[in-house]
Amino acid sequence: MTIIYAILALAGLLWGTIWMIRGSLLHGCMALLVATSTFGVLFFEFKAGINLSLDRLALIGLIGAFVVQWKLGKVQLRSWMTIDYVIAALMAVIFINSCFLPWGGESLVIQHFLNGYLIPLTLYVIARNLDYTERSVRHILIFLVVFGLYLAATGVLEGLGQYSFLFPRYIADPKIGLHFGRARGPMVQSVSYGVYLSTCLLAVWILRDHVSAKWRTALYLLLPVFLAAVFFTKTRTVWLGAGGSLLVVLWLTLQGRARTIVIGGLFAAALLGGLTKMDGIIGLKREGTVQDTRNSVSMRASFAYVSWQMFLDSPIVGHGFTQFKEAKLDYLGDRKVDLILESIRDYDHHNTFLSILVDLGIVGFIPFLAMYYYWTRDAWRLAQREEPPWAKSLGVLFLGVIVISWMQMFGHEITYTPIDHLLIFCVAGMAMGIKQQFDPVVAAEPRLARAASRQQPVTTAYERRAT
């Protein structure tokens, strides 16, 4: 057996070296998304001095390929934009804050920082420095549609209780992950599954502008399958994220009367459904009882109250990165409010924004919000571009992803694992890279020619680097 492992390792090393030199980094980014969300430690893990899994090997291989191709001159590092400095500031705040906390024993500080921020940041840096063409954008959308079709089919099978058809098999194990009984996919958690599924749903719609009429009809036929899978998540934030992001994408991709009719009709249907089915939504029957679902709603108020009291006690630097679960215990005895604060004793935070505010204080909360502000601003500008039209598609997609992520962050802490942030940072890196690739660059003019240049139109060049 040892010989077999050695032969496989040698073959993997050989082909891995070839791919590092000649392979597509864009395809590597997409492969890492699949490996992390589907083929992680729950699928396969082995020991080689340290615990390794396919997603970790994929990450190491992608980093290695990026470094090798950069050294060979196949990748050129782009200059920093404002958003890059903001992200660097956020990472610096988390790192400095973590330096004052214990790292040993049962501390999750390093694990949280690595999984929730550093690994996604790595993918952002790689995607941010790639060159994009119409063909590469089409490949991104096709990948999301194909992967999304697998996720949608998996979710529908889960919703119908057909667990024998699921792959990987661990999805059918009720002892693994959360939310068994809902559509949760290979992420074995309905929120992370919803982030990926909703993003892929948007890609189905956006891809229609990049294919022929024959394929466009096929894409339309996929939409009900995706929507059914979204429904089977039985998770309100996923519904809001999918619905809100779809409205944004439809608004940006439709024109004239079609936009008014479609957006107006969907909005009216959502409003009518929300008003008539509000009790059913609040008391949604999921894997627990209806009362469990109602309790999960009331717990949000307890999280908000405790978080606010904690923030008031340490508003500048917070209580420490990843310290909410332990630090909140001193606040659960508060009897000044008509809330069952003890109900959240055993839980991590259920709101990413409040979690960051409590853990990092104002110094961490401001760069986190600023990161999303600059992402939204730049994605909007990219989505409003007229030329080239394929570049606009990634701006539209990223605006939808931002809506999806915000809906989840209002109801969940999505940074404890790399799955959610990995997709968000990956699409962000692609969108920011394309935006800078086509940003106008006004060339510096010689000092002696300035007077004459005032009377001449300024020539605007575009940084367009094709692969």
Side-chain angles (χ1 to χ4, degrees):
M1 187 63 69
T2 303
I3 296 177
I4 295 176
Y5 284 149
I7 294 174
L8 292 175
L10 184 61
L13 181 62
L14 176 61
W15 285 106
T17 302
I18 296 173
W19 179 79
M20 283 186 180
I21 297 173
R22 305 186 59 180
S24 167
L25 293 175
L26 179 61
H27 294 166
C29 291
M30 294 185 284
L32 180 61
L33 290 176
V34 175
T36 303
S37 61
T38 308
F39 300 111
V41 293
L42 295 176
F43 179 76
F44 179 72
E45 186 179 26
F46 65 97
K47 289 187 176 181
I50 59 174
N51 291 339
L52 290 175
S53 55
L54 295 181
D55 58 321
R56 294 168 186 171
L57 292 176
L59 175 63
I60 295 171
L62 182 59
I63 295 173
F66 180 76
V67 173
V68 168
Q69 295 193 23
W70 170 50
K71 288 296 184 180
L72 293 176
K74 295 184 176 182
V75 174
Q76 296 180 6
L77 300 183
R78 289 194 171 96
S79 58
W80 282 32
M81 300 193 302
T82 303
I83 178 60
D84 301 317
Y85 290 102
V86 171
I87 294 175
L90 174 63
M91 299 301 165
V93 169
I94 297 176
F95 175 75
I96 294 172
N97 190 292
S98 301
C99 288
F100 294 92
L101 300 171
W103 290 4
E106 298 181 357
S107 173
L108 299 176
V109 173
I110 296 300
Q111 180 180 340
H112 187 185
F113 189 24
L114 181 66
N115 289 338
Y117 293 92
L118 292 185
I119 293 178
L121 177 63
T122 301
L123 192 57
Y124 173 83
V125 171
I126 295 174
R128 167 86 171 70
N129 287 284
L130 299 181
D131 294 326
Y132 295 90
T133 62
E134 182 176 6
R135 181 184 180 188
S136 60
V137 168
R138 189 183 297 113
H139 284 180
I140 293 169
L141 295 174
I142 291 174
F143 158 74
L144 289 173
V145 170
V146 173
F147 186 47
L149 182 58
Y150 155 73
L151 293 177
T154 299
V156 170
L157 289 172
E158 288 182 282
L160 297 176
Q162 302 300 312
Y163 294 102
S164 59
F165 296 100
L166 298 178
F167 176 83
R169 291 298 305 155
Y170 67 78
I171 303 175
D173 190 342
K175 298 178 181 179
I176 295 179
L178 303 172
H179 308 147
F180 184 79
R182 311 187 209 176
R184 57 180 191 159
M187 302 83 174
V188 290
Q189 202 249 60
S190 64
V191 176
S192 299
Y193 170 76
V195 170
Y196 278 71
L197 180 67
S198 301
T199 301
C200 295
L201 170 63
L202 301 183
V204 172
W205 179 262
I206 296 172
L207 183 60
R208 62 187 256 284
D209 292 329
H210 300 265
V211 296
S212 63
K214 177 181 65 175
W215 288 105
R216 197 171 301 152
T217 301
L219 291 175
Y220 289 145
L221 294 175
L222 294 179
L223 291 175
V225 181
F226 279 76
L227 293 173
V230 169
F231 172 77
F232 282 130
T233 63
K234 299 179 182 178
T235 304
R236 290 173 290 259
T237 56
V238 172
W239 293 351
L240 290 172
S245 63
L246 192 57
L247 286 175
V248 170
V249 169
L250 289 172
W251 176 268
L252 292 170
T253 54
L254 294 176
Q255 302 294 329
R257 191 174 181 181
R259 173 197 286 176
T260 303
I261 294 174
V262 173
I263 299 296
L266 290 175
F267 186 79
L271 183 62
L272 180 62
L275 292 176
T276 58
K277 299 293 184 180
M278 183 58 68
D279 289 340
I281 294 173
I282 294 176
L284 182 66
K285 180 67 171 67
R286 302 189 292 198
E287 65 274 9
T289 64
V290 171
Q291 188 59 43
D292 290 336
T293 304
R294 294 184 180 274
N295 290 340
S296 74
V297 175
S298 65
M299 285 171 59
R300 310 290 175 180
S302 297
F303 275 112
Y305 178 80
V306 170
S307 298
W308 181 247
Q309 297 302 316
M310 294 175 70
F311 168 70
L312 293 178
D313 285 347
S314 184
I316 306 301
V317 297
H319 291 259
F321 186 60
T322 319
Q323 299 306 300
F324 172 80
K325 189 172 185 178
E326 294 298 325
K328 75 174 187 294
L329 299 179
D330 295 335
Y331 296 82
L332 301 185
D334 190 341
R335 296 296 180 264
K336 293 180 297 183
V337 62
D338 187 21
L339 292 171
I340 306 176
L341 302 183
E342 282 291 335
S343 64
I344 67 172
R345 172 175 290 274
D346 298 327
Y347 291 91
D348 289 308
H349 218 304
H350 277 44
N351 185 303
T352 304
F353 298 108
L354 292 178
S355 177
I356 292 172
L357 185 64
V358 169
D359 285 355
L360 302 177
I362 290 294
V363 295
F365 191 64
I366 290 177
F368 184 80
L369 289 184
M371 177 177 71
Y372 273 93
Y373 164 75
Y374 282 108
W375 274 349
T376 303
R377 185 199 68 176
D378 291 344
W380 176 261
R381 290 177 178 176
L382 182 60
Q384 296 302 307
R385 291 188 60 90
E386 295 300 330
E387 294 294 336
W390 55 266
K392 175 180 178 178
S393 297
L394 256 294
V396 173
L397 177 66
F398 187 38
L399 284 173
V401 170
I402 290 173
V403 174
I404 293 167
S405 62
W406 273 60
M407 291 298 104
Q408 310 321 306
M409 288 192 290
F410 276 121
H412 308 275
E413 226 296 5
I414 66 171
T415 67
Y416 289 132
T417 72
I419 296 176
D420 302 80
H421 256 184
L422 199 68
L423 177 63
I424 296 167
F425 274 66
C426 181
V427 179
M430 293 173 178
M432 296 304 100
I434 291 178
K435 179 185 179 297
Q436 189 175 17
Q437 184 172 325
F438 290 96
D439 266 351
V441 179
V442 180
E445 301 170 9
R447 185 175 302 175
L448 295 177
R450 285 179 182 170
S453 67
R454 294 192 187 100
Q455 302 176 0
Q456 301 292 332
V458 178
T459 301
T460 301
Y462 289 87
E463 180 192 353
R464 299 187 62 170
R465 299 178 293 169
T467 51

